[in-house]
Amino acid sequence: MNQDRAPESVWAAAPEPAKRRLRLFRRDPEAQTLWQSEFEQRDLGEPLGVWATDEAVVLVRFDRVAAYAPATGEPGWTWQPPGQDVIVRVAQDPEDGVGIVLHHDDGERGAEHVRLTALDLGSGDVVWSREQRKDQLGYIGDTYTNEVGIGGGRIATAHTWEWDAPPSVRCLDARTGALQWERSLPDRWGDSFSVLATDPPVLTVGNSGRRSRPRLYVVREDGEWYVELPDGYKDFGPAVAVVGDTLVVGLEPSEPTNDDEKSADTLLHAYSVSTGEQLWEWRTDHGRTLHPLSHRGYFMVGNGYGSRVTVLDPTDGRVVAERRFPGFSYRARYAAWGDHLAVVCHAVSETRRVRVFRWK
């Protein structure tokens, strides 16, 4: 979600980063809790995504899309895919108040088509729905559809289309399915592909070689660049965010510090989208996974436990503000709108799935 830059006063001042470790008895401000969803008494499945606007906070699971009132958490509309279809992929952000889901019949293995449906987040009405040839999107599975990403009105997919050719990235118009462009990667390196973003397409690429390191690719119609994961880290984070020409991604450490995952020293790297040059890095010990998103012209970076979010200036990584969030969300994901933030727990267990806070 790229937005115009807002004044820093919307966040409130933060202490200088150099002094953080000296503030032994000072705690960062706690965000105001607005509401949290009811405790789930049984495992309803890990969420596939979350959308948030002034009209609704929307949680997507494999079998339904459910909306909540943003201010109160009151349950709103629900939508279920037709027949025996299951939802397998979700647009990263709503566009003009519309969210897109990709679904298919998981009992019909030979099906040649999948379906995309766009939903109005305010009402739950279907805005449009269409079929898409399955073989144009790479691998579509019940629990693994990482080769496909949806966002910004585009579908981006990475796949090895032919055994004797390098893998390539395809971009399709989400509404019509028309091919926008396709670009082959420069070599045959890579066995697994995961699309993290669509504009531009950003993907992590893994290789089964025991000494190879995962790569992060940024692909454009006229070129591409990649960086390899540094030693001491086992993977790139589950999300990237872009503000202007700056892209950020977290690096997950190989081993927790002192066997304590919550104190793991994690890096956020910033790169130039156009050149691949590393611009800055930000180091934190707030948890071994980071989830960045762009909001109001800044980066908001949440930890994987849903307990803290830090706002960073995209030009230099300077800390602008921080908030603590009461509660816990394993493998937390975030969605921001206005001065609100939704924190979603991705644990496969009984839990309070959604918590919503006001930043200021």
Side-chain angles (χ1 to χ4, degrees), residues 100-104 111-117 128-138 140 148 150 154-157 161 170-179:
I100 302 174
V101 294
L102 172 66
H103 51 99
H104 75 117
E112 296 181 352
H113 292 84
V114 294
R115 182 170 290 277
L116 290 109
T117 298
W128 55 261
S129 187
R130 69 171 183 85
E131 289 188 341
Q132 171 78 51
R133 284 192 58 87
K134 198 173 183 179
D135 59 9
Q136 292 180 317
L137 298 182
I140 302 291
V148 181
I150 308 170
R154 164 186 288 177
I155 303 170
T157 178
W161 303 102
R170 285 180 179 173
C171 289
L172 311 174
D173 184 280
R175 175 65 184 87
T176 66
L179 179 67

Side-chain angles (χ1 to χ4, degrees), residues 19-29 324:
K19 297 180 181 179
R20 281 194 57 83
R21 295 186 183 276
L22 299 179
R23 297 181 299 113
L24 299 180
F25 302 103
R26 178 175 173 176
R27 305 185 74 189
D28 294 309
R324 291 181 295 110

Side-chain angles (χ1 to χ4, degrees), residues 327-343:
F328 176 84
S329 293
Y330 180 66
R331 292 177 58 207
R333 302 292 182 267
Y334 300 80
W337 74 105
D339 63 351
H340 294 68
L341 192 72
V343 183

Side-chain angles (χ1 to χ4, degrees), residues 13-29 282-287 303 307-312 317-324:
E16 297 178 11
K19 297 180 181 179
R20 281 194 57 83
R21 295 186 183 276
L22 299 179
R23 297 181 299 113
L24 299 180
F25 302 103
R26 178 175 173 176
R27 305 185 74 189
D28 294 309
W282 177 67
R283 189 181 300 271
T284 179
D285 59 359
H286 297 332
N303 69 0
S307 60
R308 185 183 295 268
V309 168
T310 305
V311 179
L312 302 177
R318 176 175 53 89
V319 174
V320 173
E322 283 196 316
R323 289 292 185 274
R324 291 181 295 110

